[in-house]
Amino acid sequence: VGVSFVRGRDFDAAERSHDGAIIIGSGLARRLWGGADAIGRRFVSVEVGPNLRGTRTFTIVGVVDDATTGARDGDLPPLPSASHRDGARIFMPRVHTTGHLLVRTRGPAEHLLPAIRAAAVDEAPTLPIVAARTLAAVEAAERRSVVTAITAAGGTGALALLLSAIGLYAVVAFAVGQRVREIGIRTALGAESRQVVRVFVRRGLSLCLFGLVIGLLLWIAGARVISAVQGSEPPTGILGLSVLVAVFVIGVALLASWIPARAAARIDPLAALRVE
């Protein structure tokens, strides 16, 4: 059905005739064995019932990406030793009892959903069909949730950056107001405009770099802690993204500092010396 493999392979012809092999989801493999290879490891299933008692052993032959199956934390009952947010994905070559049926179609699958529902009802009239969705619909729902989260995070970040720029502008503008006489004296003694601008821009950038270093270190440390808790690798490209964010923030800080600094460089020395 187009589910992508992270490790291992699909069932072969011999495995399709018996229940000795299984394929599991990447989330379950990560929870049970961390970064170790899950291929070749075994599960022992204990069957208990009125007329049934015994065990069966299953060997893992493949690990699939949970994202391509539409799996999300909490979709399935948890393992006994796992937290209540975790679910497990296990695929078997023959269906005995399952909550999902995956069907590959030729062409668009949306129009075949009624036919698939009808066939399922004919084969198992006593089993209710809770939902029938295409993989494209599952992916679209996942994509919408990711876009919503990114939009919310990006909006919060943009608002924080705007407030920081306004605050930095106010700090530099206040410093300019407090040093008007000094600026007038410097200008009267021959200081050039770019020298005056450099003094206040340097002050604003020093404040920006101080906060930026602390923020980036906390962000990188937080990303690593979250990855360690989830049992996954830190996101790739985090260093490049940090550099991009730093360049963008420094650019905003430079503009917020340059505007009041430029105004300070245009102060008339005679008017500045008369300021009380």
Side-chain angles (χ1 to χ4, degrees), residues 16-43:
R16 294 181 189 278
S17 61
H18 60 85
D19 296 331
I22 58 173
I23 297 171
I24 66 173
S26 56
L28 178 60
R30 185 167 54 248
R31 281 166 41 207
L32 293 179
W33 297 292
D37 191 4
I39 303 302
R41 296 182 182 266
R42 295 183 177 182
F43 277 103

Side-chain angles (χ1 to χ4, degrees), residues 61-82:
V61 298
V63 178
V64 297
D65 185 4
D66 277 337
T68 60
T69 65
R72 290 194 297 180
D73 289 344
D75 283 350
L76 289 180
L79 295 178
S81 60

Side-chain angles (χ1 to χ4, degrees), residues 135-148:
L135 185 58
V138 173
E139 292 177 346
E142 292 292 324
R143 193 176 300 111
R144 281 194 299 271
S145 64
V146 172
V147 169
T148 300

Side-chain angles (χ1 to χ4, degrees), residues 91-109:
F91 298 87
M92 303 179 68
R94 292 191 297 169
V95 176
H96 295 280
T97 302
T98 181
H100 298 78
L101 180 64
L102 306 180
V103 180
R104 177 186 287 277
T105 65
R106 294 181 179 179

